[in-house]
Amino acid sequence: MTPLVRSVRSADTLTRDALAVLQPGFTGTTAPDWLLRRLGEGLVSVGLFGRNVADPAQLAALTGRLRAEREELLVAIDEEGGDVTRLEVRGGSSFPGNHALGAVDDTELTRAVARELGRRLADCGINLNWAPSADVNSNPANPVIGVRSFGADPQLVARHTAAYVEGLQSAGVAACTKHFPGHGDTAVDSHHDLPRIAAGLPTLQARELVPFRAAVAAGTRAVMSAHILLPALDAEHPATLSPAALHGLLRAPEAEGGLGFDGLIVTDGMEMQAISATYGIERGSVLALAAGADAICVGGGLADEGIVLRLRDALVRAVREGELPEQRLADAAARVRALAGRARSTGTGEGAAPAPGIGLTAARRALRLTAAGPYRPLAEPVCVAAFTPLANIAVGDETPWGVAAELARLLPGTETATCTAEAAAAAGTAALVDGLLTAAAGRRLVAVVRDVHRHPWMADALHTLLAARPDTAVVEMGVPQAPPQGALHLATHGAARVCAQAAAEALTGRRPSPDE
C-alpha cells in the first residue's frame, strides 16, 4: 500500500503546483464559485481586469471574499495609470502615465505618483501590479508602447522605472516590471503577431536592458516577460519561451552578464496571438515554465474555469511525460507562494499618506505648450474635432479619452465631432474636413489627436483643417513626435483624464471651482 500512498500524494502535490503557477482571470464583479473552489485546491493568484471593477467599495469586497478562501493570495491587476487603467476604466485615470512623468523628469514626483497609486490599490486589497512598463520607446512607430514608456532615453527610463518600483512597493504593492527584455523597438503589437527585434546584444545591453537592471537594483518583486523574438538571444523562441532570455539573461549573475534577478518571473498574457497562434496556449505555457517563467498570466481574453483546467492538466501531463521537470514546476510554485506570503495586503497601503491631488499636479507639470503667436483663451462653447485612431488592446476601447468632457465642464455647450480612419477613407479628407467645419458652425475649433506621426490619414486631415481654420488649437494626447501645429499646440504626453483636465485649463485659462 505504501507505493499507492506515495502516488496519490505525488499526484495531489503536482496538481496543486500546477494550479499555483497560474494567474487566471474571471468575468463579473463577484467571485464565481469555480474560482473559490480552485483557491481551495491550490490556486494562489487571481488577475483582475476592468470588467471586474465597479468602484473601490465593490473591489475591496471582492478581494476580501477571495482572501476569505485563501489568506495568502496574490491579487494582481494591470494598473499602469495613464492610458492603461483598470481601476478607472470607465472614467479615465486620475494619474498620468509614464510618458508624462518622463517629460517632467522629476523622480520624486514619479515616486509620489506610484506611491499614491499603490496606496489606492492596497486599500482595495490588490497586492501585485503588472507595472511599470520599463520599455525604452526607441521606435517612434511602436503601436503598443508609446506613452506607456517613460521615454526614448535609456537612462531616463531607468531612473523613473526605479522610482516607480520604489514608490509602488512602499505602499505594500509588489511591482511587476515589464516587458522584459524590452518591447520598445517593435513595429508590431504582440497582441496580434510575433514582433522581431533585430538589435544585437551590445545594443540591448546599452538600451533595452538598462531600465530592467535599475528595476532589479530597486528591488522589483516581479518581472513580466515579453512575447518578442530577439535573434541576438534566441533565434527560435520568443523571450517568454526562451531559456536564454529568462534563465540565461534575467536570472544569470551580473558577473556573467545577466541581471541577477531572483524574484518572480510572470509571463505576459498567454492568449496573445504572438504565443497562442504560434504554439497554442497549453504548449506555450509548458515551454514558458521550462524556460524559467514562474507564473502564467491568462485571463484577459479567456476567463473561465475551462482555461484553468486546460492549463493545469497540460502542466501535469508535461511533468508526467518528462517534458517539464517536476522540480522546475515545484520551484516556480514555491516562488509564487513566497511572494503571496510576503505581499499579503493589509488594506491600508502600509501607512502611505494619501496624496489625492498628486496625479493632477503631475499632469499639469507634464503639459507642454507651443504658441504660433498671441492666443486668446477659449471663453465660449467650442467644437472639438476628435481624431480617433483604433485603440490597441492593452489600452482597450472602454476608457474615454479626449478633452471634450473637461472642456464642457468649463464651457457648457461644447460639442464633439469624431473623425476616424474609416470615415476618412470612405468620404475623403476634403469631405471629412468640410463636415467638421459645418459641425463647428463658426465656433472655435479644438483638434484632438493621438500619435499623429503614426497615422497618415490623421496628419492629412489635420493639415487640411488648419489650412481652413488656422485659429484651431491642437491637443496631442499621444507621443508628440510630429512638429507642433496650430494656433496653440498642447502636448499632454498621454490621454488620462487628468491630462485632459490640464489641457482644458490651459485652453481656457481657468481652473474649475471644487463644486463645478
Side-chain angles (χ1 to χ4, degrees):
M1 294 301 292
T2 301
L4 178 60
V5 172
R6 284 177 181 163
S7 174
V8 170
R9 182 180 299 141
S10 175
D12 180 64
T13 299
L14 190 58
T15 300
R16 295 185 73 83
D17 284 351
L19 282 171
V21 302
L22 303 181
Q23 292 191 343
F26 62 95
T27 58
T29 54
T30 57
D33 290 341
W34 70 261
L35 181 62
L36 299 175
R37 184 169 61 253
R38 300 304 171 189
L39 289 173
E41 295 175 0
L43 194 67
V44 184
S45 307
V46 175
L48 300 181
F49 298 85
R51 62 177 181 251
N52 305 122
V53 180
D55 55 57
Q58 167 270 327
L59 187 54
L62 169 60
T63 59
R65 178 66 187 92
L66 294 171
R67 284 203 172 80
E69 200 67 38
R70 185 182 192 92
E71 186 177 5
E72 292 191 346
L73 176 70
L74 285 177
V75 181
I77 200 166
D78 192 6
E79 183 58 49
E80 299 176 16
D83 291 29
V84 179
T85 178
R86 311 308 177 207
L87 287 183
E88 300 177 277
V89 65
R90 292 166 191 85
S93 181
S94 300
F95 303 91
N98 286 2
H99 208 60
L101 297 171
V104 178
D105 196 12
D106 179 346
T107 54
E108 285 304 315
L109 178 66
T110 296
R111 191 174 287 107
V113 167
R115 182 183 301 115
E116 173 62 12
L117 179 60
R119 186 191 67 80
R120 296 190 192 185
L121 291 172
D123 280 352
C124 294
I126 293 164
N127 57 8
L128 174 62
N129 191 10
W130 293 319
S133 290
D135 308 290
V136 178
N137 199 40
S138 49
N139 187 342
N142 197 309
V144 67
I145 301 301
V147 294
R148 299 168 66 196
S149 166
F150 288 110
D153 175 11
Q155 296 300 329
L156 179 145
V157 177
R159 60 179 173 265
H160 286 278
T161 296
Y164 195 106
V165 167
E166 291 164 357
L168 186 67
Q169 294 189 164
S170 72
V173 176
C176 183
T177 304
K178 61 189 183 185
H179 306 79
F180 182 83
H183 208 310
D185 190 19
T186 61
V188 173
D189 184 346
S190 53
H191 290 89
H192 301 297
D193 205 345
L194 178 62
R196 177 189 176 97
I197 295 180
L201 189 56
T203 299
L204 295 176
Q205 291 283 7
R207 189 178 63 188
E208 271 74 20
L209 295 179
V210 174
F212 288 97
R213 290 188 186 280
V216 172
T220 187
R221 303 276 167 75
V223 169
M224 177 177 283
S225 66
H227 305 329
I228 54 178
L229 187 68
L230 298 100
L233 290 175
D234 189 324
E236 181 179 357
H237 300 103
T240 293
L241 313 183
S242 170
L246 300 187
H247 181 74
L249 181 60
L250 184 53
R251 290 275 191 232
E254 292 184 71
E256 298 175 12
L259 275 68
F261 179 62
D262 194 39
L264 189 75
I265 300 178
V266 183
T267 72
D268 206 346
M270 296 300 285
E271 61 265 68
M272 293 164 64
Q273 291 296 300
I275 297 297
S276 62
T278 307
Y279 297 89
I281 296 177
E282 292 97 328
R283 172 77 175 157
S285 296
V286 170
L287 291 175
L289 264 293
D294 303 306
I296 302 296
C297 179
V298 66
L302 299 172
D304 58 16
E305 185 176 22
I307 188 63
V308 173
L309 298 181
R310 281 169 55 194
L311 294 183
R312 179 200 67 182
D313 293 347
L315 294 174
V316 169
R317 185 167 55 252
V319 170
R320 288 176 172 162
E321 293 177 356
E323 187 177 8
L324 175 64
E326 184 171 1
Q327 190 58 51
R328 171 79 272 273
L329 178 62
D331 290 345
R335 285 185 187 276
V336 177
R337 295 185 188 110
L339 183 57
R342 181 178 184 183
R344 184 192 302 178
S345 175
T346 61
T348 63
E350 290 194 356
I358 192 68
L360 181 56
T361 296
R364 287 169 175 160
R365 290 182 62 186
L367 198 66
R368 297 293 179 268
L369 183 152
T370 306
Y375 181 78
R376 180 167 50 89
L378 304 177
E380 303 292 335
V382 299
C383 179
V384 176
F387 293 87
T388 305
L390 184 67
N392 71 58
I393 292 176
V395 174
D397 56 10
E398 288 182 278
T399 306
W401 72 283
V403 301
E406 294 300 328
L407 275 177
R409 290 178 61 206
L410 299 174
L411 304 172
T414 289
E415 296 182 355
T416 306
T418 300
C419 312
T420 63
E422 291 80 4
T429 299
L432 182 73
V433 172
D434 283 344
L436 290 175
L437 296 174
T438 300
R443 287 174 295 176
R444 294 177 70 181
L445 275 158
V446 176
V448 184
V449 295
R450 200 170 184 176
D451 291 341
V452 69
H453 68 284
R454 291 199 303 110
H455 304 286
W457 72 268
M458 191 185 297
D460 290 345
L462 181 62
H463 177 77
T464 303
L465 176 62
L466 291 174
R469 289 286 300 271
D471 63 334
T472 297
V474 177
V475 182
E476 169 63 86
M477 303 195 80
V479 177
Q481 188 77 22
Q485 302 177 73
L488 182 73
H489 183 275
L490 295 177
T492 63
H493 300 91
R497 177 175 50 81
V498 287
C499 295
Q501 185 174 341
E505 293 170 354
L507 288 166
T508 61
R510 71 187 185 95
R511 295 180 179 181
S513 62
D515 57 349
E516 278 190 276

